[in-house]
Amino acid sequence: MISPESVMSPPAEGLLSAQLDGLGVTLLGDSARLRVWSEAADAMDLVVFDDSDLDWITATEPLSPVGGGVWEITTTLLRPGVRYAIRVDGPPGPGNTFNRGTLLLEPYSRGLVRTGYDGWRSVVVEGSFDWGGVTKPAVPLDRTVLYEGHLKGLSKRHPGVPGALRGTYAGLAHPAMVEHLLDLGVTSIELLPVHAFTTEPRLLQHGLANYWGYNTLNFFTPHAAYATEDARREGPDAILREFKGMVKLLHEAGLEVILDVVYNHTAEEGIGGPRSSLRGIDNRAYYRQQEDGAYIDVTGCGNSLNTSTDAASRLVLDSLRYWAQDVQIDGFRFDLAATLGRDAAHAFTPDHPLLRAVLDDPVLAGVKKIAEPWDVGMGGWQTGNFGDGWSEWNDRYRDRVRNFWLSDVDYARRASTSPVGIGGFATRLAGSANTLDEARGPLAGINFVTAHDGFTLRDLVSYDVKHNHGNGEQNRDGADTNRSFNHGAEGPTDDESILATRRKAMRNLLGTLLLSAGVPMLTAGDEFARTQRGNNNAYCHDSALTWLSWEHAPWQRDLYAHVRHLIRLRRENSALRPGRFARLGEHTPSASVMEWYDEHGETMSIERWTDPAHRTLQYVASSTPEFEQLNRVLLMVHGTERPTEVTLPEIDGVARFVSLWCSADETPAVSGAAYAPGGTVPLAGTSMHLFRLE
């Protein structure tokens, strides 16, 4: 393994300054060096505790300033397994919250242990691990199918996972879980936060928990509660080994591990909240503030990490390097990434030094970098603006696809006509060229219809409004605009016609997701239509409401078969996953040349794109081979509830159209029928049909 020192040759200043190298604990044989950054501190102490009594201080030694805001000590007190904290003193004044009596977590801690109700201690971790030659799968973006899930929720109820492993790191890597992921065909598991986190006092008062984990306590430590009981009993080193063991086993199966990382804020909340680490070390430097010390909160979580300071940006960068190198993580999804790109004036800039450093760092080369391109501050919506090298969650895709298959259909039932034509939907299907610039191409967009945040797929087609009464906020939390449609009944129903229409709507949404240009992200459990009973903000429920159920009715197994089939078709047909946008009249390698026809097999007219009365099209995608064989597919899309007939277009060199998949089928067809050019194909109301051109 390459050491950070041998890879990085930082310049003399900025977030890559050599003065910021080696922060945290570095083991030096019989001793260790501790380096902590605090620009405003007057004094700093290392505090060491008894191995079993975490309130018993056994030693205290001062750190010395060594320049650049760094405090340092080299001591024999620190060795693997030692519990420690730091105490920091500094001047009073607006923005400062120093208190030498407060025991603080060292920001670069590789391990943590809990003491009492809300106390924590850092732990020195040795961290060695035998990777046995297993390397990262390095799945190309065009072949990537993301599977977003919760570490605990994925395996907690799986009957094939031993009880002691359910809901743990080891449980996710168990053969029963690996078999499911491989059978489904996904390539990359995107885990909700697994950095050490804690539950907000407000939730504890309601008897709830922060289940999703977007409340980070420390950027370097795996969340201990997700480890097996044996590993937790043994301690932080064993927890880290279990985490690495999970990554190793998933890599052996060819599966990538991507972490949802929360660097935009921390669990210290607003002023008056917990003071566990950064707030007590240098509050003014680590958190965005007004001149009077009031926090500038662009995250909605009480505080915002101040990445306009070099030390805060370096903390993020060093954390990413650690997980990518030492833990062999394949990629990161950056929660509220716009916050990380805000400058000293708190405005977003795509050339922010931290964002550039993430792209340019050799340790992070080849690592997938996925931005959630917004936050809740002024100018916070930045979809499409993160620049080359970044992938972005495409909320414009999500909204348009939901509108087309759900809210537009609901509108048409009430008004006897659809509100818009098919043009906007077609743009999203073809890779969102109106959002992602030509240089970046369609693979810069992460397409999704659902995510952890919001309705599940089943709830999206079953509820018109959110039902979050169990969250303790009188149903005020969660999004009010969901672009959902219950198809005639709110929630559960015995009406078979409604249920059948809902099933087809789910197949249309999944078919669109997996047949669109761009990188698809499937939410765990949507492959068999899990429900959260209408709760669109289930972040605070660590229960059967949010854990995946593995007991499925026949119709759920049919839906799973559709998803599995669609992922296979995406893998086998390169025209569905172009790496570049085609240019009119030019040969662009790894692009897909797109041709658009109406229901009569004629080239789409300009008027047809925007006419609400014509929501039927045929989309031909022809690959321009660079690494694979020539491939051509045709996708029919019919966006009204009235059945219709579609005439296949006459295309030079095409002798027949072979059916590959149809959303109107309850189960995917084993072998498809062949149709001649000029022939007609019946289409059910609101349905899709995919063909291969031969």
Side-chain angles (χ1 to χ4, degrees), residues 180-195:
H180 170 72
L181 297 167
L182 294 179
D183 182 70
L184 184 59
V186 298
T187 66
S188 311
I189 305 159
E190 184 178 308
L191 294 173
L192 267 64
V194 293
H195 288 175

Side-chain angles (χ1 to χ4, degrees), residues 21 276 287 338 402 416 447 488 499 512 525 565 573 576 590 612 621 649 687:
D21 286 354
S276 56
Y287 295 118
R402 288 186 180 191
S416 300
N447 295 333
L499 293 174
T512 302
H565 184 65
N573 292 276
L576 293 170
S590 291
S687 66

Side-chain angles (χ1 to χ4, degrees), residues 457 503 506-507 510 525-529 554-564 666:
L457 180 71
R503 293 196 296 271
M506 286 189 282
R507 295 192 293 269
L510 290 166
D526 278 354
E527 69 269 34
F528 36 69
W555 71 267
Q556 291 175 293
R557 293 192 288 272
D558 289 341
L559 183 65
Y560 176 87
H562 274 280
V563 179
R564 182 175 180 271
E666 287 285 354

